[in-house]
């Protein structure tokens, strides 16, 4: 449908041009220059030289910088304050010409074109100004006016380009007695060719368009054109479009976005200042929007395109984007460095700075829009980008060029779908609207709005920045009292949505919808995420407290179910990390230890001794138990910031006795002798390579091992040694086939053994000191099994 929309818009053409020239007599133009006096026409070479004496080299702007470079701009400028013009007399000629220029540029009649003097420029032989674009100095600036004064010169032609169109203006052909007035839009690129002889002297003006606030622009648009446009826009909003990249069913478009032909800045974007064909098409779309009950906005559009390119023309086909069909070589494009733009890889368009149909600015989020909603009559690739970056071959797309453009757009969407459209951009706004309806007692309408969120809710949440709205959502779901609706809107969040601010409202949902509903929600969350996050597990004790504080039993039942589920998840994950026969293999991070402590705390809160004892049995079993150092770190963390009574309430006695027994067994062995080069293999892999490696590591006397091994085998051994941080070097001797991997044990293993034994002795002493706090007595210790 977008192609048909484009065709309907292309049929609405403006009569104006991007650049126009008028010529007139200089009788009404009287100029005086500071220190020189009145300037007579035609300007002589001597006068031009005197003007240069009060001038300075002209700078040029590049983004936010002002630069001087005679390779880009070589001319002289005289500030406006040094020039005096008899304005009342000059207006007698300039005023009617500006009115004619306004009409020829295609600006609306409900306003006036005003010229403000900027400077005088003097071009001598060989001087020029390379291709550039004028900056818009004020909100209402739309273009520039160049008045070429009578003098004898040649060359100095002005070339004005807009998109693919170009006009050349040669004021040197005018003679010595006439004025040339050249006007063009500010977004036109233009250059001044070198002057070949004589002096070219010009006045430059900023052209401002002053909108008559008391008059509304009325555009003459054919009824047939409007009817055709209304028909295709209506069909656009009624025809489902496939989105292959999203792998979803075809969906009805949310918006129609038309990129305007001319460029606009935030200062100049206004319905009353749109240029030429933009003005007519925007006016037509605004009328169609009113006819079809659509919202209509102007917005700035930041366009980013990535093009695949070639260093030289290679023939083939190019395509620019949606709705713009290019045919073979005539439509191939080059970037600024002459590279051929072959194929469009991707396009991103962000809309911002919204202006309503009433002309007032509207607060709104920036919006990244879908390609399927965007159309244009001028492709961005036909414009000059404000920024371009080239990237050479990377193995993915080959050579690519990134190009950025500042454009503007007219945006339409049906008012009847406004809630859904805005909700996709800001889920927090949607929730506030539902809450507002509930506050007014409009429960059924609130339910209808909430149900409309379900098809896209998970996708919309990815861009939501305001995470505080979750509390309001849960509160709204309590008031809506619909189990399936609550399930659907909460499923995309995951268990991390539960926290201090949402726990109480969530418990109210559990009480309203029941234990089976809560279990289904947590099961869905578990299916969406590999495992619960550390943040959620450490919050579990507090959440259990909130569940137990509820007056009804179904919430309490959820607490025990959740704890059992998390303990089971912990055990399954840890069991997968150890292989049969590995004793004391469990090494946990500090974050893992915090989760374990949270599980013990939650068991204490709800009095789940059986679940706690099951977890302790897992942590002290031969095949799944913690390393003694890890178990000691866990006990130290539990002791920190707890009173002895609170510590004993955790019921960690079996773990304490397990650590005592293990330390007694380990420390009963003598310290490593200087001749003992054995290393306890930490590997859980049972392959032949790891068996051979284990034999070498366990050997008390063998220090070095030369091992002919293929590349894959060498890499496997590297991963084992480096992954476990073993004090063994591995170097490859690249002679023969296969190469030889040379393993060598390092003396650091003795330092490591001494450090480890010292830490074990310190842990033994700490447990002796804290045994009463840990166990409540100083009775006999349990013997090792």
């Amino acid at each position: 449908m977008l192609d048909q929309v484009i065709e309907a818009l292309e049929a609405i053409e403006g009569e104006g041009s991007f650049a126009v020239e008028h010529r007139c007599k200089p009788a009404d133009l009287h100029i005086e220059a500071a220190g020189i006096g009145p300037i007579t026409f035609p300007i002589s070479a001597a006068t031009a030289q005197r003007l240069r004496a009060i001038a300075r080299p002209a700078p040029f702007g590049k983004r936010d910088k002002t630069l001087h470079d005679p390779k880009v701009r070589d001319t002289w400028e005289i500030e406006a304050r040094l020039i005096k013009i008899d304005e009342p007399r000059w207006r007698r000629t300039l005023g009617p010409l500006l009115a004619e220029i306004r009409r020829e540029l295609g600006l609306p009649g409900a306003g006036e074109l005003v010229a403000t003097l900027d400077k005088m420029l003097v071009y001598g032989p060989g001087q020029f100004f390379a291709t550039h674009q004028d900056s818009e100095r004020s909100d209402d600036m739309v273009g520039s006016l160049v008045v070429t004064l009578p003098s004898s010169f040649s060359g100095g032609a002005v070339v004005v380009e807009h998109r693919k169109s170009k006009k050349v203006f040669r004021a040197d052909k005018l003679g010595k007695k006439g004025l040339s007035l050249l006007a063009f839009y500010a977004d036109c690129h233009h250059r001044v060719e070198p002057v070949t002889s004589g002096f070219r002297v010009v006045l430059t003006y900023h052209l401002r368009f002053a909108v008559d606030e008391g008059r509304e622009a009325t555009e003459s648009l054919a009824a047939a054109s409007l009817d055709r446009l209304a028909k295709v826009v209506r069909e656009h909003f009624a025809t489902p479009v496939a989105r292959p990249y999203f792998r979803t069913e075809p969906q009805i478009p949310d918006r129609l976005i038309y990129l305007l032909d001319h460029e606009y800045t935030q200062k100049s974007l206004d319905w009353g200042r749109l240029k030429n064909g933009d003005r007519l098409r925007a006016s037509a779309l605004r009328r169609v929007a009113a006819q079809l009950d659509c919202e209509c906005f102007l917005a700035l559009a930041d366009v980013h395109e990535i093009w695949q390119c070639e260093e030289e023309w290679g023939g083939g086909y190019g395509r620019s984007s949606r709705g713009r069909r290019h045919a073979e070589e005539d439509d191939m494009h080059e970037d600024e460095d002459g590279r051929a733009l072959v194929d469009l890889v991707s396009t991103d368009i962000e809309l911002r700075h919204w202006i309503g149909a009433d002309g007032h600015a509207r607060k709104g989020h920036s919006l990244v829009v879908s390609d399927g909603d965007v159309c244009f009559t001028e492709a961005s690739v036909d414009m000059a980008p404000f920024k371009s970056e080239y990237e050479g071959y990377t193995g993915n797309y080959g050579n690519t060029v990134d190009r950025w453009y500042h454009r503007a757009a007219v945006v339409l969407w049906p008012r009847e779908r406004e809630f859904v459209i805005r909700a996709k951009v800001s889920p927090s706004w949607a929730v506030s609207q539902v809450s507002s309806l509930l506050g007014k007692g409009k429960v059924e309408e609130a339910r209808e709005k909430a149900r409309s969120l379900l098809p896209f809710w998970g996708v919309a949440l990815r861009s939501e920045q305001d995470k505080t709205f979750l509390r309001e959502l849960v509160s709204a779901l309590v008031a809506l009292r619909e189990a399936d609706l609550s399930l659907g809107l909460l499923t995309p969040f995951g268990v991390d949505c539960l926290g201090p601010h949402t726990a109480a409202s969530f418990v109210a949902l559990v009480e309203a919808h029941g234990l089976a509903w809560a279990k289904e929600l947590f099961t869905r969350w578990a299916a969406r995420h590999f495992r619960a996050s550390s943040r959620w597990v450490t919050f579990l004790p507090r959440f259990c407290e909130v569940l137990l504080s509820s007056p009804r039993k179904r919430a309490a039942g959820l607490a025990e179910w959740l704890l059992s589920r998390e303990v089971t998840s912990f055990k399954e994950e840890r069991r997968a990390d150890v292989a049969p026969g590995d004793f004391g293999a469990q090494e946990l991070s500090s974050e893992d230890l915090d989760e374990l402590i949270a599980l013990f705390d939650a068991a204490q809160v709800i009095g789940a001794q059986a679940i706690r004892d099951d977890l302790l049995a897992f942590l002290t079993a031969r095949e799944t138990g913690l390393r003694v150092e890890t178990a000691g770190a866990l006990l130290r963390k539990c002791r920190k910031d707890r009173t002895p009574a609170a510590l004993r309430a955790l019921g960690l006695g079996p773990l304490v006795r397990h650590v005592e027994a293990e330390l007694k067994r380990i420390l009963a062995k003598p310290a490593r002798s200087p001749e003992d080069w054995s290393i306890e293999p930490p590997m859980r892999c049972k392959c032949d390579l790891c068996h051979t490696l284990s034999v070498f590591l366990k050997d008390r006397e063998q220090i070095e091992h030369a091992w002919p091994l293929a590349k894959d085998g060498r890499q496997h051994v590297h991963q084992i040694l480096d992954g476990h941080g073993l004090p063994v070097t591995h170097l490859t001797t690249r002679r023969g086939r296969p190469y030889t991997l040379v393993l060598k044990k390092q003396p650091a293993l003795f330092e490591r053994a001494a450090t480890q034994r010292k830490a074990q002795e310190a842990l033994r002493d700490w447990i002796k000191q804290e045994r009463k706090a840990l166990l409540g007595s100083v009775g006999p210790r349990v013997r090792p099994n």
Side-chain angles (χ1 to χ4, degrees):
M1 286 308 304
L2 283 178
D3 284 347
Q4 297 180 35
V5 173
I6 292 169
E7 290 172 0
L9 287 168
E10 284 180 328
I12 302 172
E13 294 183 332
E15 297 179 354
S17 174
F18 60 88
V20 297
E21 183 186 31
H22 281 263
R23 298 184 176 186
C24 66
K25 301 288 186 181
D28 287 331
L29 181 57
H30 288 238
I31 306 175
E32 293 184 14
I36 298 176
I39 297 176
T40 58
F41 300 136
I43 297 175
S44 65
T47 300
Q49 292 285 9
R50 295 174 65 194
L51 288 171
R52 287 180 55 174
I54 63 171
R56 63 181 183 183
F60 64 95
K62 186 175 183 180
R63 296 189 179 94
D64 57 346
K65 297 180 180 179
T66 300
L67 306 173
H68 288 85
D69 186 349
K71 296 179 181 178
V72 176
R73 188 181 193 186
D74 185 10
T75 186
W76 297 84
E77 73 171 30
I78 301 172
E79 298 177 59
R81 64 182 179 84
L82 301 178
I83 302 297
K84 181 179 179 181
I85 297 176
D86 185 346
E87 294 293 348
R89 187 165 182 174
W90 174 225
R91 277 198 296 269
R92 293 189 309 193
T93 296
L94 183 60
L97 288 174
L98 288 176
E100 185 65 18
I101 289 171
R102 176 199 60 74
R103 185 187 64 78
E104 292 179 357
L105 288 176
L107 289 167
E112 179 184 4
L113 199 59
V114 179
T116 302
L117 181 64
D118 181 31
K119 59 179 73 76
M120 175 183 281
L121 299 174
V122 181
Y123 288 82
Q127 292 189 301
F128 67 98
F129 194 173
T131 300
H132 63 286
Q133 184 178 355
D134 291 343
S135 301
E136 296 183 8
R137 306 293 180 83
S138 61
D139 292 359
D140 54 358
M141 180 177 167
V142 295
S144 298
L145 174 68
V146 179
V147 179
T148 304
L149 305 179
S151 66
S152 179
F153 72 97
S154 61
V158 180
V159 181
V160 185
E161 298 178 89
H162 187 261
R163 310 296 179 259
K164 293 183 178 180
S165 299
K166 178 170 69 174
K167 291 187 176 184
V168 180
F169 300 92
R170 303 182 183 280
D172 59 339
K173 305 299 182 183
L174 185 61
K176 301 180 180 180
K177 297 183 179 180
L179 296 175
S180 166
L181 284 75
L182 170 60
F184 48 85
Y185 281 123
D187 63 334
C188 291
H189 286 75
H190 54 284
R191 66 180 182 271
V192 179
E193 300 284 3
V195 172
T196 55
S197 66
F199 290 89
R200 174 180 179 265
V201 183
V202 301
L203 299 175
T204 63
Y205 288 81
H206 296 150
L207 288 178
R208 298 181 298 109
F209 187 67
V211 178
D212 188 344
E213 302 295 343
R215 295 171 58 194
E216 183 175 352
T218 56
E219 309 301 343
S220 177
L221 296 169
S225 297
L226 285 174
D227 290 344
R228 179 188 179 190
L229 183 60
K231 178 178 180 295
V232 294
V233 170
R234 183 185 294 108
E235 291 175 355
H236 168 78
F237 285 124
T239 306
V241 178
R243 312 283 191 185
Y245 293 108
F246 294 98
R247 298 180 182 178
T248 58
E249 293 296 323
Q251 296 180 359
I252 294 175
D254 288 333
R255 305 171 188 85
L256 174 65
I257 301 163
Y258 169 61
L259 298 179
L260 300 176
D261 288 355
H262 287 267
E263 296 178 27
Y264 302 88
T265 65
Q266 183 171 331
K267 291 180 178 181
S268 64
L269 189 64
D270 184 277
W271 292 102
R273 297 192 181 94
L274 297 181
K275 303 165 185 175
N276 202 9
D278 286 350
R279 175 172 53 85
L280 296 178
R281 291 167 185 153
S283 177
L285 286 170
R286 189 154 54 155
R287 294 188 195 183
V288 166
Q291 179 181 338
L292 301 182
D293 195 27
C294 291
E295 290 282 5
C296 187
F297 292 89
L298 274 178
L300 293 179
D302 293 331
V303 180
H304 172 210
E305 293 185 346
I306 301 177
W307 282 85
Q308 192 172 2
C309 65
E310 294 178 354
E311 293 293 342
E312 297 179 357
W313 288 93
Y317 297 81
R319 68 165 187 259
S320 71
S321 186
R322 306 152 301 282
R324 187 71 177 177
R325 295 179 294 274
H326 289 273
E328 302 187 7
E329 296 180 1
D330 289 341
D331 284 317
M332 292 291 284
H333 299 276
E334 286 186 349
D335 73 353
E336 295 72 23
D337 296 316
R339 287 179 285 260
L341 304 180
V342 178
D343 199 14
L344 184 64
V345 176
S346 66
T347 302
D348 296 314
I349 300 175
E350 182 179 1
L351 302 178
R352 57 185 178 84
H353 184 59
W354 300 80
I355 297 176
D358 58 3
H360 295 115
R362 303 289 178 82
K363 292 182 179 179
H365 296 267
S366 62
L367 173 65
V368 177
V369 296
S370 166
D371 287 3
D373 298 335
V374 180
C375 63
F376 45 77
T377 47
E378 287 288 343
S380 295
V381 72
D382 293 330
M383 303 179 180
F386 76 88
K387 181 181 178 182
S388 180
E389 291 181 356
Y390 170 73
E391 182 174 349
Y393 178 76
T394 62
N396 294 321
Y397 295 113
N399 302 328
T400 58
V401 173
D402 289 69
R403 292 160 67 92
W404 289 266
Y405 308 86
H406 287 321
R407 301 193 65 172
V410 179
V411 187
L412 279 70
W413 65 72
R415 285 194 177 92
E416 65 179 11
R417 299 214 299 273
E418 181 171 10
F419 176 79
V420 168
I421 292 169
R422 292 190 64 179
K424 290 180 179 180
V425 179
S426 175
S428 57
W429 172 87
V431 171
S432 68
Q433 294 299 301
V434 172
S435 298
S436 177
L437 290 171
L438 289 170
K440 297 174 183 178
K442 300 179 180 180
V443 179
E444 192 52 46
E445 186 178 352
R447 285 174 179 160
E448 182 181 349
K449 296 287 190 188
R451 288 190 202 102
S452 70
L453 302 173
L454 290 172
F456 59 85
W457 191 238
V459 175
L461 290 177
R462 297 172 190 167
S463 60
E464 177 57 60
Q465 300 297 318
D466 182 9
K467 301 304 181 184
T468 62
F469 85 100
L470 182 59
R471 180 179 182 180
E472 187 176 5
L473 170 62
V474 177
S475 298
L477 293 176
V478 172
L480 290 171
R481 302 188 68 81
E482 279 203 4
D484 289 343
L485 181 59
S486 298
L487 202 60
L489 293 179
L490 287 177
T491 294
F493 285 94
V495 72
D496 273 349
C497 72
L498 296 177
H501 298 297
T502 56
S505 296
F506 184 82
V507 170
L509 276 178
V510 176
E511 297 290 13
H513 303 316
L515 182 58
W517 175 89
K519 288 182 178 180
E520 173 62 21
L521 179 60
F522 276 95
T523 301
R524 290 188 181 189
W525 283 343
R528 293 172 62 88
H529 303 277
F530 175 70
R531 67 183 297 268
S533 72
S534 176
R535 194 197 69 78
W536 151 246
V537 177
T538 53
F539 177 67
L540 182 58
R542 172 61 184 146
F543 187 59
C544 287
E545 290 178 356
V546 178
L547 289 170
L548 290 183
S549 68
S550 177
R552 302 175 67 179
K553 294 183 178 180
R554 56 178 59 172
L558 177 62
E560 185 170 348
W561 182 82
L562 284 174
L563 176 60
S564 177
R565 192 188 69 145
E566 293 302 336
V567 169
T568 300
S569 176
F570 177 87
K571 289 164 57 179
E572 289 178 350
E573 185 177 339
R574 301 304 163 189
R575 188 176 283 113
D577 288 341
V578 296
D582 284 343
F583 175 73
Q586 290 281 13
E587 292 188 69
L588 302 182
S589 66
S590 178
E591 187 178 77
D592 292 331
L593 295 180
D594 288 337
E595 291 185 27
L596 262 180
I597 294 171
L599 296 178
F600 288 128
D601 280 333
Q604 189 272 328
V605 166
I606 65 176
Q609 290 86 356
I611 298 176
R612 176 202 65 198
D613 292 345
D614 178 61
L615 179 58
L616 285 170
F618 178 83
L619 296 177
T620 57
R622 179 173 181 79
E623 292 185 352
T624 60
L626 299 176
R627 294 176 63 90
V628 68
E629 294 86 358
T630 304
L634 175 61
L635 292 175
R636 289 177 187 270
K637 276 203 165 196
C638 289
R639 178 67 178 99
K640 185 179 181 181
D641 299 329
R642 278 185 171 84
T643 64
L647 179 62
R648 290 192 294 272
L650 294 180
L652 301 181
L655 182 63
V656 176
R657 297 183 183 94
H658 168 76
V659 174
E660 286 182 321
E662 282 298 295
L663 287 172
K664 184 177 180 179
R665 179 183 65 83
I666 293 171
L667 294 176
K669 298 178 181 180
R672 179 186 290 269
S673 71
E675 293 79 22
D676 182 6
W677 286 85
S678 66
I679 299 174
E680 187 64 27
M683 302 88 72
R684 294 155 196 167
C685 176
K686 301 304 179 183
C687 70
D688 292 341
L689 290 177
C690 286
H691 174 73
T692 302
L693 179 60
S694 295
V695 171
F696 165 66
L697 292 176
K698 289 179 179 180
D699 195 296
R700 296 169 56 88
E701 298 178 356
Q702 186 179 7
I703 300 175
E704 187 172 317
H705 178 55
W707 194 355
L709 204 56
K711 181 178 180 181
D712 290 346
R714 296 197 304 271
Q715 289 179 340
H716 183 61
V717 174
H718 291 176
Q719 292 170 353
I720 294 294
L721 296 175
D722 296 340
H724 291 280
L726 299 182
V728 179
T729 59
H730 46 83
L731 299 174
T732 300
T733 302
R734 303 182 182 277
R735 292 193 299 271
R737 290 291 180 177
Y739 293 158
T740 300
L741 180 65
V742 179
L743 306 181
K744 187 173 183 179
K745 298 173 183 175
Q746 297 298 301
L749 69 89
F750 296 100
E751 297 175 13
R752 176 181 294 189
T755 301
Q756 184 179 36
R757 189 174 184 89
K758 185 175 181 181
Q760 291 165 346
E761 291 171 345
L763 177 59
R764 177 196 61 193
D765 296 341
W766 179 83
I767 289 179
K768 287 180 181 179
Q769 179 183 338
E770 296 289 343
R771 196 166 195 277
K772 184 174 182 180
L774 291 165
L775 299 175
S777 69
V778 291
R781 296 170 178 78
V782 176
R783 294 181 179 181
N785 294 327

